[in-house]
Amino acid sequence: MKKYYMIYLLGVLTLSSCVEDEGNNTMNAINEARIEGIEGQYYKVTNLETLEIPVKVTGTLSGDKSDQFTYEWFLCNNALNESYHRHQTISREKDLSFPVNIVPGEYRLFFRVKDKDSKMVFEKRSALNVLSPYVRGFYVFGDKDDGTCGIDFISMMEGRDTTVIAGLLDNTQGIRNAEKLVFMGHSYSTDFEALWAVTKDNSYALNSSANETRITFNTDKSLENMIFPSIEGTTKPYVVRGLFPKPYGKANDCMSGSFRCLLTDKDAFWCSQMPMGESYGNPFNCYSAGSNDLVQLSPYVFYPATGGYVSTLAFYDKTNHKFVRVNGASYGVTNLADYSFSSDLPFSADQTKYTPARDLVYGENANTGYSYALMNDADGNFFVYVFRIVRYTATGMQRSSARQVDLSVAKDFAKASHYTFYSSQPIILYAVNKDLWAYNYNTNKAKKLNSFKGEITYLAMDFDSDDNPDDVIVATYSPTEKGFVYKYEMKDDPNEISFAEKQYKTGSYPWKTSLKVKSVTYRNCSD
């Protein structure tokens, strides 16, 4: 008699409805499983979402009696090379509930049903596309209750609620005393991308791939293997304090395709051939190429942050109390040089011309192309300088204005822990414990914008994430409430000092974190 056996292995097969019983030469019907409710493709976000698939399984003989079958769900990666194949059973229940905590990528999803009596196997396959929540959002860097550093991520995926993902840093080295994260943004070359955790005493290279669910230390990357001076006098061990120019705009684009400036604890280094690899030679924080007579530079670096290619940077020499420039174009920097102006108005590049001499307290670059410097002197006076860096020449700083801060109006200005400049108006924001103030240095008016429940631990304008110069980020901390990150929008009105909290249609805002936040760093980078 003709046989009707068929063996089901890895596809959805059409099975014969009966099978021969050779003992009595009769045909026995097979209990076929009909599987319904599984779509052809699913999209889920790792670490945030759960894949829920309720399934209906009907037997041609057993009907909807689910105990007639056993069930298995499993995932396979889409590697073409079988040596890289990964098979993972994720459930043995009929209805799937799978927290998607796996590496982003494309997976094949299988659902197998096995009849307990006949041992016949029936299968339905689908595709699971796991998306990364770490492509766009904010790194939140700070200290935990035990003093060790942690990183959370405010994920801002298109079409999904903004969500805080906690505990990303795999802090195997037990680093402590967070100061800031340095992220160099999106670039056509992954060699340009970099993520550094900067603490009070050290700096650590981190892996920054959006396809990883944890941030780990990049132990293969160290400054000692990147800096090769031929002079004596550099300060080791090298500790990253800043990389410039910073990325720009919502696309998080790198603003230099060829060079990078590295500031360490004591020295400054220049790489003019980044496409050939990130390596640095002699420090340039001197006034003669190759000299070991090194000066101390402020960590605030000035340049036109307008989104175009940056060709030059300016600095503040803390040793000699003056604004200085690099000695040439970006491809040939070996030392510093002075500015030379025919007039000291509205301010002099050389701050020793004032009695007492002035020094830089804080500096910032706006996306308008202007730069800002907050200065003070030994008598406790504060001054605001506004200028543009336009060329690397001796007259390449265009000075716009200088204003003295009226401390009788700007209450507790000298006690502030954080400052930031609102570039659409002549306003400087400053934080004093729980209070956020704004001071208009042209009209000499001040206003308390808000009193928070916790101490303000971070304050900065956010020019980039929404391409909006009016946005400002504030982070607070209290022992009971822990950390919060807020986003506000300043009102661009010359007649009024005010701001309003941004509106986000998500239950996770304001963004909650257990960290005492020291740094909020924008990221938009797919790899």
Side-chain angles (χ1 to χ4, degrees):
M1 178 178 285
K2 195 174 183 181
K3 295 183 179 180
Y4 293 90
Y5 292 117
M6 298 190 73
I7 300 175
Y8 187 95
L9 293 176
L10 291 173
V12 179
L13 302 181
T14 303
L15 297 177
S16 173
S17 61
C18 60
V19 64
E20 177 188 7
D21 183 338
E22 293 183 351
N24 56 17
N25 291 331
T26 60
M27 299 292 291
N28 293 328
I30 294 175
N31 186 33
E32 297 182 38
R34 181 178 297 110
I35 303 170
E36 300 176 278
I38 299 178
E39 300 175 8
Q41 198 164 86
Y42 295 91
Y43 292 87
K44 291 295 176 181
V45 181
T46 187
N47 279 7
L48 289 183
E49 297 179 341
T50 298
L51 179 61
E52 304 272 6
I53 306 179
V55 181
K56 182 179 180 181
V57 179
T58 307
T60 54
L61 299 181
S62 60
D64 58 2
K65 291 173 57 179
S66 59
D67 60 355
Q68 179 61 35
F69 302 99
T70 61
Y71 308 98
E72 180 186 23
W73 293 87
F74 65 92
L75 281 179
C76 285
N77 64 348
N78 263 348
L80 296 178
N81 188 332
E82 287 301 320
S83 65
Y84 293 98
H85 179 80
R86 298 292 182 270
H87 175 100
Q88 177 187 6
T89 297
I90 59 175
S91 177
R92 297 188 187 278
E93 302 292 330
K94 178 175 70 69
D95 296 330
L96 180 64
S97 180
F98 173 59
V100 184
N101 298 327
I102 56 178
V103 175
E106 297 180 353
Y107 295 83
R108 289 171 287 174
L109 177 66
F110 297 87
F111 178 55
R112 282 183 177 174
V113 178
K114 184 177 181 180
D115 185 272
K116 293 179 179 179
D117 294 334
S118 69
K119 310 304 181 185
M120 298 297 293
V121 178
F122 307 84
E123 186 176 276
K124 186 80 170 180
R125 65 170 62 178
S126 181
L128 173 61
N129 293 275
V130 180
L131 310 176
S132 171
Y134 311 115
V135 170
R136 180 173 179 265
F138 295 99
Y139 290 116
V140 178
F141 184 46
D143 292 328
K144 302 178 184 179
D145 288 342
D146 63 2
T148 61
C149 299
I151 298 177
D152 294 348
F153 191 75
I154 301 172
S155 178
M156 308 181 78
M157 297 185 66
E158 296 292 339
R160 283 175 164 84
D161 285 346
T162 301
T163 306
V164 178
I165 307 171
L168 293 191
L169 179 62
D170 188 10
N171 193 355
T172 54
Q173 298 194 30
I175 66 173
R176 306 172 68 90
N177 299 318
E179 284 198 349
K180 64 180 176 180
L181 280 183
V182 176
F183 181 63
M184 293 309 290
H186 169 74
S187 174
Y188 66 87
S189 171
T190 55
D191 292 336
F192 280 42
E193 297 166 7
L195 179 65
W196 289 84
V198 180
T199 65
K200 181 180 178 181
D201 301 315
N202 214 329
S203 59
Y204 305 85
L206 302 177
N207 294 310
S208 61
S209 173
N211 293 323
E212 298 295 334
T213 57
R214 299 282 285 175
I215 295 175
T216 56
F217 292 95
N218 186 346
T219 55
D220 294 330
K221 189 172 186 177
S222 70
L223 292 185
E224 280 67 24
N225 295 328
M226 298 163 60
I227 300 175
F228 307 97
S230 62
I231 65 168
E232 299 294 332
T234 62
T235 304
K236 296 181 180 180
Y238 301 117
V239 176
V240 171
R241 290 303 171 199
L243 289 168
F244 302 91
K246 296 179 180 179
Y248 173 86
K250 191 172 183 178
N252 211 205
D253 287 330
C254 179
M255 293 181 64
S256 168
S258 63
F259 81 92
R260 177 167 291 171
C261 171
L262 164 66
L263 296 187
T264 65
D265 265 355
K266 299 293 183 182
D267 302 313
F269 299 92
W270 198 275
C271 175
S272 61
Q273 294 293 334
M274 278 291 293
M276 298 176 64
E278 187 175 5
S279 63
Y280 304 90
N282 286 330
F284 70 87
N285 51 311
C286 55
Y287 289 91
S288 178
S291 170
N292 59 6
D293 186 11
L294 303 175
V295 300
Q296 179 74 58
L297 298 181
S298 167
Y300 304 107
V301 177
F302 303 105
Y303 55 90
T306 56
Y309 180 79
V310 174
S311 61
T312 189
L313 305 178
F315 303 87
Y316 186 77
D317 176 352
K318 295 170 62 176
T319 303
N320 297 295
H321 313 284
K322 59 183 178 180
F323 291 92
V324 294
R325 58 191 174 90
V326 292
N327 73 326
S330 59
Y331 50 82
V333 173
T334 57
N335 56 278
L336 301 171
D338 288 320
Y339 283 108
S340 178
F341 303 116
S342 59
S343 168
D344 286 339
L345 296 177
F347 62 86
S348 174
D350 183 358
Q351 299 298 292
T352 63
K353 291 189 175 182
Y354 304 104
T355 304
R358 301 172 186 176
D359 273 311
L360 180 65
V361 176
Y362 173 77
E364 185 176 304
N365 303 300
N367 65 347
T368 57
Y370 283 95
S371 295
Y372 300 85
L374 177 64
M375 315 295 295
N376 74 347
D377 62 24
D379 290 339
N381 300 307
F382 286 82
F383 307 86
V384 173
Y385 295 170
V386 183
F387 54 95
R388 293 171 66 98
I389 304 300
V390 293
R391 289 180 300 277
Y392 57 82
T393 60
T395 57
M397 174 191 284
Q398 293 181 349
R399 299 163 296 164
S400 297
S401 66
R403 297 285 188 272
Q404 184 170 354
V405 176
D406 188 339
L407 297 179
S408 67
V409 175
K411 185 178 179 181
D412 293 331
F413 189 87
K415 299 178 181 178
S417 58
H418 299 80
Y419 303 94
T420 191
F421 287 94
Y422 175 39
S423 60
S424 296
Q425 295 293 332
I427 289 174
I428 183 171
L429 306 179
Y430 63 99
V432 182
N433 197 358
K434 299 179 180 181
D435 296 334
L436 180 63
W437 287 82
Y439 173 68
N440 188 311
Y441 46 84
N442 277 0
T443 63
N444 196 30
K445 294 180 179 179
K447 181 180 180 180
K448 183 190 292 187
L449 294 176
N450 199 13
S451 289
F452 294 90
K453 293 181 180 180
E455 173 196 1
I456 298 173
T457 61
Y458 177 82
L459 170 67
M461 299 305 300
D462 173 29
F463 306 111
D464 296 325
S465 67
D466 288 322
D467 288 329
N468 185 359
D470 303 332
D471 284 358
V472 58
I473 293 178
V474 181
T476 66
Y477 181 84
S478 70
T480 55
E481 298 288 333
K482 304 303 179 185
F484 282 98
V485 179
Y486 303 87
K487 197 169 181 184
Y488 291 87
E489 187 171 16
M490 295 293 297
K491 186 175 182 180
D492 185 5
D493 187 340
N495 301 308
E496 182 181 1
I497 300 176
S498 66
F499 76 166
E501 191 165 0
K502 300 280 280 190
Q503 299 299 312
Y504 289 93
K505 296 179 180 179
T506 171
S508 65
Y509 182 83
W511 300 307
K512 184 76 174 67
T513 175
S514 63
L515 303 174
K516 188 173 185 178
V517 178
K518 299 298 181 66
S519 175
V520 180
T521 307
Y522 178 62
R523 174 198 171 102
N524 189 2
C525 192
S526 59
D527 54 15

